[in-house]
Amino acid sequence: MIRKLIQIDEEKCSGCGACAAACHEGAIAMVDGKARLTREDYCDGLGDCLPACPAGAITFVEREAPAYDAAAAAAARAAAGGGCPGSRVRTFGRPAAPAAEPQPSELRQWPVQLQLVPAEAPYFDGCDLLVAADCTAFALGSFHARLLRGRIVLVACPKLDRAPYAGKLAEIFRRNDVRSVTVARMEVPCCGGLTFAVQQGLERSGKDIPLRVVTVATDGRIAAEE
């Protein structure tokens, strides 16, 4: 079958191993000091490894390849004692927060799902845009006050959504006067695909729009801002 998967340029590969660590499907291995796609049937085509590569050695291609075998990849991870960091079960022993006055929502538009919004919705023109991974609003208690206030929001999940984001984002950037873009992502590797899609969308649009990336830890902290 013809499908999308990653391709590694061994000449560019520095052998750092970052892509192999980021690939939660176990499709990439280090062979003779170079990263190699050793199991095409384990590659889900989401590209979690792309933003992890400092050398820019990984790209997407569409070609003849075996179908993605999610069950086999999961079984291999279980046998190796590993798994997707985004699916790892954790609990947080927090005391219950004291009751407080209801906080007003900072949401300014509808719909919010990236796949549902029309590219020429009137609220995009002249906006500051927030592209947020689904989980960020649940993990970060101050999400509305700290990230959503004054922004139009698009919500997406690179792990669960199969539709490509970069093309839709490029269309939104190209057709509207977006003033700035903030990406809110979780610290898990698969969320790197959201940052990469926004970067690709900006590049395809041909516009120079300021970009900020906020990374939220699974325990609710702001882990990084860049």
Coordinates of all heavy atoms in Angstrom, one line a residue, residues 28-118:
I28 N 12.5 2.9 15.0 CA 13.8 3.4 14.7 C 14.8 2.7 15.6 O 14.6 2.6 16.8 CB 13.9 4.9 14.8 CG1 12.9 5.6 13.8 CG2 15.3 5.4 14.5 CD1 12.8 7.1 14.0
A29 N 15.9 2.3 15.0 CA 17.0 1.7 15.8 C 18.3 2.3 15.4 O 18.5 2.8 14.2 CB 17.1 0.2 15.7
M30 N 19.3 2.3 16.3 CA 20.7 2.8 15.9 C 21.5 1.6 15.3 O 21.6 0.6 16.0 CB 21.4 3.4 17.1 CG 20.6 4.5 17.7 SD 20.3 5.9 16.6 CE 21.9 6.4 16.2
V31 N 21.9 1.7 14.1 CA 22.7 0.6 13.4 C 24.0 1.2 12.9 O 24.0 2.1 12.1 CB 21.9 0.0 12.3 CG1 22.7 -1.1 11.6 CG2 20.5 -0.5 12.7
D32 N 25.1 0.7 13.4 CA 26.4 1.1 13.1 C 26.6 2.7 13.2 O 27.1 3.4 12.4 CB 26.7 0.8 11.6 CG 26.8 -0.7 11.4 OD1 27.2 -1.5 12.3 OD2 26.4 -1.2 10.3
G33 N 26.0 3.1 14.3 CA 26.2 4.6 14.7 C 25.2 5.5 13.9 O 25.4 6.7 14.0
K34 N 24.3 5.0 13.2 CA 23.3 5.8 12.4 C 21.9 5.3 12.7 O 21.6 4.2 13.0 CB 23.6 5.6 10.9 CG 24.9 6.2 10.4 CD 24.9 7.7 10.4 CE 26.2 8.2 9.8 NZ 26.2 9.7 9.7
A35 N 21.0 6.3 12.7 CA 19.6 6.0 12.9 C 19.0 5.3 11.6 O 19.3 5.7 10.5 CB 18.8 7.2 13.2
R36 N 18.2 4.3 11.8 CA 17.7 3.6 10.7 C 16.2 3.2 11.0 O 15.9 2.7 12.1 CB 18.5 2.4 10.4 CG 18.1 1.6 9.1 CD 19.1 0.6 8.7 NE 20.4 1.1 8.5 CZ 21.5 0.3 8.3 NH1 21.4 -1.0 8.4 NH2 22.7 0.9 8.1
L37 N 15.3 3.3 10.0 CA 14.0 2.8 10.1 C 14.0 1.3 9.9 O 14.0 0.8 8.8 CB 13.1 3.5 9.1 CG 11.6 3.1 9.1 CD1 10.9 3.4 10.4 CD2 10.8 3.8 7.9
T38 N 14.0 0.6 11.0 CA 14.2 -0.9 10.9 C 12.9 -1.6 10.8 O 12.8 -2.8 10.4 CB 14.9 -1.4 12.1 OG1 14.3 -1.0 13.3 CG2 16.4 -0.8 12.2
R39 N 11.8 -1.0 11.2 CA 10.4 -1.6 11.1 C 9.4 -0.7 10.5 O 8.9 0.2 11.2 CB 10.0 -2.1 12.5 CG 10.8 -3.2 13.1 CD 10.6 -4.5 12.3 NE 9.3 -4.9 12.2 CZ 8.7 -6.0 12.8 NH1 9.4 -6.6 13.7 NH2 7.5 -6.3 12.6
E40 N 9.2 -0.8 9.2 CA 8.3 0.1 8.5 C 6.9 -0.1 9.1 O 6.1 0.8 9.1 CB 8.3 -0.2 7.0 CG 9.7 0.3 6.4 CD 9.7 0.1 4.9 OE1 8.7 -0.6 4.4 OE2 10.6 0.5 4.2
D41 N 6.5 -1.4 9.5 CA 5.2 -1.7 9.9 C 5.0 -1.1 11.3 O 3.8 -1.1 11.8 CB 4.9 -3.2 9.9 CG 5.9 -4.0 10.7 OD1 7.1 -3.5 10.9 OD2 5.6 -5.1 11.2
Y42 N 6.0 -0.6 12.0 CA 5.8 0.0 13.3 C 5.7 1.6 13.2 O 5.4 2.2 14.1 CB 7.0 -0.3 14.2 CG 7.1 -1.7 14.8 CD1 6.2 -2.7 14.4 CD2 8.1 -2.0 15.7 CE1 6.3 -4.0 14.9 CE2 8.1 -3.3 16.2 CZ 7.2 -4.3 15.8 OH 7.3 -5.5 16.3
C43 N 6.1 2.1 12.0 CA 6.1 3.6 11.8 C 4.6 4.0 11.6 O 4.0 3.6 10.6 CB 6.9 3.9 10.6 SG 7.0 5.7 10.3
D44 N 4.1 4.9 12.5 CA 2.7 5.3 12.4 C 2.5 6.5 11.5 O 1.4 7.0 11.2 CB 2.1 5.6 13.7 CG 2.8 6.6 14.5 OD1 3.7 7.3 14.0 OD2 2.6 6.8 15.7
G45 N 3.7 7.1 11.0 CA 3.6 8.2 10.1 C 3.3 9.5 10.7 O 3.0 10.5 10.0
L46 N 3.3 9.6 12.1 CA 3.0 10.9 12.7 C 4.2 11.8 12.9 O 4.0 13.0 13.1 CB 2.4 10.6 14.1 CG 1.0 9.9 14.2 CD1 0.6 9.6 15.6 CD2 0.0 10.7 13.5
G47 N 5.4 11.2 12.8 CA 6.6 12.0 12.8 C 7.0 12.6 14.1 O 7.5 13.7 14.2
D48 N 6.7 11.8 15.2 CA 7.2 12.3 16.5 C 8.7 12.5 16.5 O 9.3 13.3 17.3 CB 6.9 11.3 17.6 CG 5.4 11.1 17.8 OD1 4.6 11.9 17.2 OD2 5.0 10.1 18.4
C49 N 9.4 11.8 15.7 CA 10.9 11.8 15.6 C 11.4 13.1 14.9 O 12.6 13.5 15.1 CB 11.4 10.6 15.0 SG 10.7 10.3 13.3
L50 N 10.6 13.7 14.1 CA 11.1 14.8 13.2 C 11.6 16.0 14.1 O 12.7 16.4 13.9 CB 10.0 15.3 12.3 CG 10.0 14.6 10.9 CD1 9.5 13.2 11.0 CD2 9.1 15.4 9.9
P51 N 10.8 16.5 15.0 CA 11.3 17.6 15.8 C 12.4 17.3 16.7 O 13.1 18.2 17.2 CB 10.0 18.1 16.6 CG 9.1 17.0 16.6 CD 9.4 16.2 15.4
A52 N 12.6 16.0 17.0 CA 13.7 15.6 17.9 C 15.0 15.6 17.2 O 16.1 15.6 17.9 CB 13.4 14.2 18.5
C53 N 15.0 15.5 15.9 CA 16.3 15.4 15.1 C 17.0 16.8 15.0 O 16.5 17.7 14.3 CB 16.1 14.8 13.8 SG 17.6 14.7 12.8
P54 N 18.2 17.0 15.6 CA 18.9 18.3 15.5 C 19.5 18.5 14.2 O 19.9 19.6 13.8 CB 19.9 18.2 16.7 CG 20.2 16.7 16.8 CD 18.9 16.0 16.5
A55 N 19.7 17.4 13.4 CA 20.4 17.5 12.1 C 19.5 17.7 10.9 O 20.0 17.8 9.8 CB 21.3 16.2 11.9
G56 N 18.2 17.6 11.2 CA 17.3 17.8 10.1 C 17.4 16.6 9.1 O 17.2 16.8 7.9
A57 N 17.7 15.4 9.6 CA 17.9 14.3 8.7 C 16.7 13.5 8.4 O 16.7 12.5 7.7 CB 19.0 13.3 9.4
I58 N 15.5 13.9 9.0 CA 14.3 13.1 8.8 C 13.2 13.9 8.1 O 13.0 15.0 8.4 CB 13.7 12.6 10.2 CG1 14.8 11.9 11.0 CG2 12.5 11.8 10.1 CD1 14.4 11.5 12.4
T59 N 12.6 13.2 7.1 CA 11.5 13.9 6.4 C 10.4 12.9 6.2 O 10.6 11.7 6.5 CB 12.0 14.3 5.0 OG1 12.6 13.2 4.3 CG2 13.1 15.4 5.1
F60 N 9.3 13.3 5.7 CA 8.1 12.5 5.4 C 8.3 12.1 3.9 O 8.6 12.9 3.1 CB 6.8 13.2 5.6 CG 6.3 13.2 7.0 CD1 6.0 14.4 7.6 CD2 6.1 12.0 7.7 CE1 5.5 14.4 8.9 CE2 5.7 12.0 9.0 CZ 5.4 13.2 9.6
V61 N 7.9 10.9 3.6 CA 7.7 10.4 2.2 C 6.4 9.6 2.1 O 5.9 9.1 3.1 CB 8.9 9.6 1.7 CG1 10.2 10.4 1.7 CG2 9.1 8.3 2.6
E62 N 5.9 9.5 0.9 CA 4.8 8.7 0.6 C 5.3 7.6 -0.4 O 5.7 8.0 -1.5 CB 3.6 9.4 0.1 CG 2.9 10.3 1.1 CD 1.5 10.7 0.6 OE1 1.0 10.2 -0.4 OE2 0.9 11.6 1.3
R63 N 5.2 6.4 0.0 CA 5.7 5.3 -0.9 C 5.1 4.0 -0.5 O 4.3 3.9 0.5 CB 7.2 5.2 -0.8 CG 7.8 4.9 0.6 CD 9.3 4.6 0.5 NE 9.9 4.4 1.8 CZ 9.9 3.3 2.5 NH1 9.3 2.2 2.0 NH2 10.6 3.2 3.6
E64 N 5.4 3.0 -1.3 CA 4.9 1.6 -1.0 C 5.5 1.1 0.3 O 6.7 1.2 0.5 CB 5.3 0.7 -2.1 CG 4.7 -0.7 -2.0 CD 3.2 -0.8 -2.2 OE1 2.7 0.0 -3.0 OE2 2.6 -1.7 -1.6
A65 N 4.7 0.7 1.3 CA 5.2 0.2 2.6 C 4.1 -0.7 3.2 O 2.9 -0.6 2.9 CB 5.5 1.4 3.5
P66 N 4.6 -1.5 4.1 CA 3.6 -2.3 4.9 C 2.7 -1.4 5.7 O 3.0 -0.3 6.1 CB 4.4 -3.2 5.8 CG 5.8 -3.2 5.2 CD 5.9 -1.8 4.5
A67 N 1.4 -1.9 5.9 CA 0.5 -1.1 6.7 C 1.0 -1.0 8.2 O 1.8 -1.9 8.7 CB -0.9 -1.8 6.8
Y68 N 0.7 0.1 8.8 CA 1.1 0.3 10.2 C 0.4 -0.8 11.1 O -0.9 -0.9 11.0 CB 0.7 1.7 10.7 CG 0.7 1.9 12.1 CD1 1.9 1.7 12.8 CD2 -0.4 2.4 12.8 CE1 2.0 1.9 14.2 CE2 -0.3 2.6 14.2 CZ 0.9 2.4 14.9 OH 0.9 2.6 16.2
D69 N 1.1 -1.5 11.8 CA 0.6 -2.6 12.7 C 0.7 -2.1 14.1 O 1.7 -2.4 14.8 CB 1.4 -3.9 12.5 CG 0.7 -5.1 13.1 OD1 -0.1 -4.9 14.0 OD2 1.0 -6.2 12.6
A70 N -0.4 -1.5 14.6 CA -0.4 -0.9 16.0 C -0.3 -2.0 17.0 O 0.4 -1.9 18.0 CB -1.6 -0.1 16.2
A71 N -0.9 -3.1 16.8 CA -0.9 -4.2 17.8 C 0.5 -4.8 17.9 O 0.9 -5.1 19.0 CB -1.9 -5.3 17.3
A72 N 1.2 -5.0 16.8 CA 2.5 -5.6 16.8 C 3.5 -4.6 17.5 O 4.3 -5.0 18.3 CB 3.0 -5.9 15.4
A73 N 3.3 -3.3 17.2 CA 4.2 -2.3 17.8 C 4.0 -2.3 19.3 O 4.9 -2.2 20.1 CB 4.0 -1.0 17.2
A74 N 2.7 -2.4 19.8 CA 2.4 -2.3 21.2 C 2.9 -3.6 21.9 O 3.4 -3.5 23.0 CB 0.9 -2.2 21.4
A75 N 2.8 -4.7 21.2 CA 3.3 -6.0 21.8 C 4.8 -5.9 22.0 O 5.4 -6.4 23.0 CB 2.9 -7.2 20.9
A76 N 5.5 -5.4 21.0 CA 7.0 -5.3 21.1 C 7.4 -4.3 22.2 O 8.3 -4.6 22.9 CB 7.5 -4.8 19.7
R77 N 6.6 -3.2 22.4 CA 7.0 -2.3 23.5 C 6.7 -3.0 24.8 O 7.5 -2.8 25.7 CB 6.1 -1.1 23.4 CG 6.4 -0.2 22.2 CD 5.8 1.2 22.4 NE 4.3 1.2 22.6 CZ 3.4 1.2 21.7 NH1 3.8 1.2 20.4 NH2 2.1 1.2 21.9
A78 N 5.6 -3.7 24.9 CA 5.3 -4.4 26.2 C 6.4 -5.4 26.5 O 6.8 -5.6 27.7 CB 4.0 -5.1 26.1
A79 N 6.9 -6.2 25.5 CA 7.9 -7.2 25.7 C 9.2 -6.6 26.1 O 10.0 -7.2 26.9 CB 8.1 -8.0 24.4
A80 N 9.4 -5.3 25.6 CA 10.7 -4.7 26.0 C 10.5 -3.9 27.3 O 11.5 -3.2 27.7 CB 11.1 -3.7 24.9
G81 N 9.4 -3.9 27.9 CA 9.1 -3.2 29.2 C 9.0 -1.7 29.0 O 9.1 -0.9 29.9
G82 N 8.7 -1.3 27.7 CA 8.5 0.2 27.4 C 7.1 0.5 27.1 O 6.2 -0.2 27.3
G83 N 6.9 1.7 26.5 CA 5.6 2.1 26.1 C 5.7 3.6 25.7 O 6.7 4.3 26.0
C84 N 4.6 4.1 25.2 CA 4.5 5.5 24.8 C 4.5 6.3 26.1 O 3.7 6.1 27.0 CB 3.3 5.7 24.0 SG 2.9 7.5 23.7
P85 N 5.4 7.3 26.2 CA 5.4 8.2 27.4 C 4.1 8.9 27.7 O 3.7 9.1 28.8 CB 6.5 9.2 27.2 CG 7.4 8.5 26.2 CD 6.5 7.6 25.3
G86 N 3.4 9.2 26.6 CA 2.1 9.8 26.7 C 1.0 9.0 27.3 O -0.1 9.4 27.7
S87 N 1.2 7.6 27.2 CA 0.2 6.7 27.8 C 0.6 6.1 29.1 O -0.1 5.3 29.7 CB 0.1 5.5 26.8 OG -0.3 6.0 25.5
R88 N 1.7 6.6 29.6 CA 2.2 6.0 30.9 C 1.3 6.5 32.1 O 1.0 7.7 32.2 CB 3.7 6.5 31.2 CG 4.4 5.7 32.2 CD 5.9 6.0 32.1 NE 6.4 5.5 30.8 CZ 7.4 6.0 30.2 NH1 8.0 7.1 30.6 NH2 7.8 5.5 29.0
V89 N 0.9 5.6 32.9 CA -0.1 5.9 34.0 C 0.7 6.6 35.1 O 1.7 6.0 35.6 CB -0.8 4.6 34.5 CG1 -1.7 5.0 35.6 CG2 -1.6 4.0 33.3
R90 N 0.2 7.7 35.6 CA 0.7 8.4 36.7 C -0.4 9.0 37.6 O -1.5 9.2 37.1 CB 1.7 9.5 36.3 CG 2.8 9.1 35.5 CD 3.7 10.3 35.1 NE 4.2 11.0 36.2 CZ 4.9 12.2 36.1 NH1 4.9 12.8 35.0 NH2 5.4 12.8 37.2
T91 N -0.2 9.1 38.9 CA -1.1 9.8 39.7 C -0.3 10.9 40.5 O 0.9 10.8 40.7 CB -1.7 8.9 40.8 OG1 -0.7 8.3 41.5 CG2 -2.6 7.8 40.1
F92 N -1.0 12.0 40.8 CA -0.4 13.1 41.5 C -1.2 13.4 42.8 O -2.4 13.6 42.8 CB -0.5 14.4 40.6 CG 0.0 14.2 39.2 CD1 -0.9 14.2 38.1 CD2 1.3 14.0 39.0 CE1 -0.4 14.0 36.9 CE2 1.8 13.8 37.7 CZ 0.9 13.8 36.6
G93 N -0.4 13.2 43.9 CA -1.0 13.3 45.2 C -1.3 14.8 45.7 O -0.6 15.2 46.6
R94 N -2.1 15.5 45.0 CA -2.4 16.9 45.3 C -3.6 16.9 46.3 O -4.6 16.3 46.2 CB -2.8 17.7 44.1 CG -1.7 17.8 43.1 CD -2.0 18.9 42.1 NE -1.0 19.0 41.0 CZ -1.0 18.5 39.8 NH1 -2.0 17.7 39.5 NH2 -0.1 18.7 39.0
P95 N -3.5 17.9 47.3 CA -4.6 18.1 48.2 C -5.7 18.8 47.4 O -5.4 19.5 46.4 CB -4.1 19.0 49.3 CG -2.9 19.7 48.6 CD -2.3 18.7 47.7
A96 N -6.9 18.7 47.8 CA -8.0 19.3 47.1 C -7.9 20.8 47.2 O -7.6 21.4 48.3 CB -9.4 18.9 47.6
A97 N -8.1 21.6 46.1 CA -8.0 23.0 46.2 C -9.2 23.6 46.9 O -10.3 23.1 46.8 CB -7.9 23.6 44.8
P98 N -9.0 24.7 47.6 CA -10.2 25.3 48.3 C -11.2 25.9 47.3 O -10.8 26.2 46.2 CB -9.5 26.5 49.1 CG -8.2 26.8 48.4 CD -7.8 25.4 47.8
A99 N -12.4 25.9 47.7 CA -13.5 26.4 46.8 C -13.2 27.8 46.5 O -12.8 28.6 47.4 CB -14.8 26.2 47.5
A100 N -13.5 28.2 45.3 CA -13.3 29.6 44.9 C -14.4 30.1 44.0 O -15.3 29.3 43.6 CB -12.0 29.7 44.1
E101 N -14.5 31.4 43.8 CA -15.5 32.0 43.0 C -15.3 31.4 41.5 O -14.1 31.3 41.1 CB -15.4 33.5 43.0 CG -15.8 34.1 44.3 CD -17.2 33.9 44.6 OE1 -18.1 34.0 43.6 OE2 -17.6 33.6 45.7
P102 N -16.3 31.2 40.8 CA -16.2 30.7 39.4 C -15.4 31.7 38.6 O -15.6 32.9 38.7 CB -17.7 30.6 39.0 CG -18.5 30.5 40.2 CD -17.7 31.3 41.2
Q103 N -14.5 31.2 37.8 CA -13.7 32.0 37.0 C -14.3 32.1 35.6 O -14.7 31.1 35.0 CB -12.3 31.4 36.8 CG -11.5 31.4 38.1 CD -11.3 32.8 38.7 OE1 -10.8 33.7 38.0 NE2 -11.7 33.0 40.0
P104 N -14.4 33.3 35.0 CA -15.0 33.4 33.6 C -14.1 32.7 32.6 O -12.9 32.7 32.7 CB -15.1 34.9 33.4 CG -14.0 35.5 34.3 CD -13.9 34.6 35.5
S105 N -14.8 32.1 31.6 CA -14.0 31.5 30.5 C -13.4 32.6 29.6 O -14.0 33.7 29.4 CB -15.0 30.7 29.7 OG -14.3 30.2 28.5
E106 N -12.2 32.3 29.1 CA -11.5 33.2 28.2 C -11.7 32.9 26.7 O -11.2 33.4 25.8 CB -10.0 33.3 28.5 CG -9.7 33.8 29.9 CD -9.9 35.3 30.0 OE1 -10.1 36.0 29.0 OE2 -10.0 35.8 31.2
L107 N -12.6 31.8 26.5 CA -12.8 31.4 25.1 C -13.6 32.4 24.4 O -14.6 33.0 24.8 CB -13.6 30.1 25.2 CG -13.8 29.4 23.8 CD1 -12.5 29.0 23.2 CD2 -14.8 28.2 24.0
R108 N -13.1 32.8 23.2 CA -13.7 33.9 22.4 C -14.3 33.4 21.1 O -14.9 34.3 20.4 CB -12.5 34.9 22.1 CG -11.8 35.4 23.3 CD -10.6 36.2 22.9 NE -11.0 37.5 22.3 CZ -10.1 38.3 21.7 NH1 -8.8 37.9 21.6 NH2 -10.5 39.4 21.2
Q109 N -14.3 32.1 20.8 CA -14.8 31.7 19.5 C -15.2 30.2 19.5 O -14.9 29.5 20.4 CB -13.8 32.0 18.4 CG -13.0 30.8 17.8 CD -11.9 30.3 18.7 OE1 -11.5 30.9 19.7 NE2 -11.3 29.1 18.4
W110 N -16.0 29.8 18.5 CA -16.3 28.4 18.3 C -16.5 28.2 16.8 O -16.9 29.1 16.1 CB -17.7 28.1 19.0 CG -18.0 26.7 19.0 CD1 -18.7 25.9 18.2 CD2 -17.5 25.7 20.0 NE1 -18.8 24.6 18.5 CE2 -18.0 24.5 19.7 CE3 -16.7 25.9 21.1 CZ2 -17.7 23.3 20.4 CZ3 -16.4 24.7 21.8 CH2 -16.9 23.5 21.5
P111 N -16.1 27.0 16.3 CA -15.5 25.9 17.0 C -14.0 26.1 17.3 O -13.4 27.1 16.9 CB -15.6 24.8 15.9 CG -15.6 25.5 14.6 CD -16.2 26.8 14.8
V112 N -13.5 25.1 18.1 CA -12.1 25.2 18.5 C -11.2 24.1 17.9 O -10.0 24.3 17.9 CB -11.9 25.2 20.0 CG1 -12.6 26.4 20.6 CG2 -12.5 23.9 20.6
Q113 N -11.8 23.0 17.4 CA -11.0 21.9 16.9 C -10.4 22.4 15.5 O -11.1 22.9 14.7 CB -11.9 20.7 16.7 CG -12.3 20.0 18.0 CD -11.1 19.2 18.5 OE1 -10.1 19.0 17.9 NE2 -11.2 18.8 19.8
L114 N -9.1 22.1 15.4 CA -8.4 22.5 14.2 C -9.1 22.0 12.9 O -9.1 22.6 11.9 CB -6.9 22.1 14.3 CG -6.1 22.3 13.0 CD1 -6.1 23.8 12.6 CD2 -4.6 21.9 13.4
Q115 N -9.5 20.7 13.0 CA -10.1 20.1 11.8 C -11.5 20.7 11.4 O -12.0 20.5 10.3 CB -10.2 18.6 12.0 CG -8.9 17.9 12.2 CD -7.9 18.1 11.1 OE1 -8.2 18.3 10.0 NE2 -6.6 18.1 11.5
L116 N -12.1 21.4 12.4 CA -13.5 21.9 12.1 C -13.6 23.4 11.7 O -14.5 23.8 11.1 CB -14.3 21.7 13.4 CG -14.5 20.2 13.9 CD1 -15.4 20.2 15.1 CD2 -15.1 19.4 12.8
V117 N -12.5 24.2 12.1 CA -12.6 25.6 11.8 C -12.5 25.9 10.4 O -11.6 25.3 9.7 CB -11.6 26.4 12.7 CG1 -11.8 26.3 14.1 CG2 -10.2 25.9 12.3
P118 N -13.3 26.9 9.8 CA -13.0 27.3 8.5 C -11.8 28.2 8.4 O -11.6 29.0 9.3 CB -14.3 28.1 8.1 CG -14.9 28.5 9.4 CD -14.5 27.5 10.4

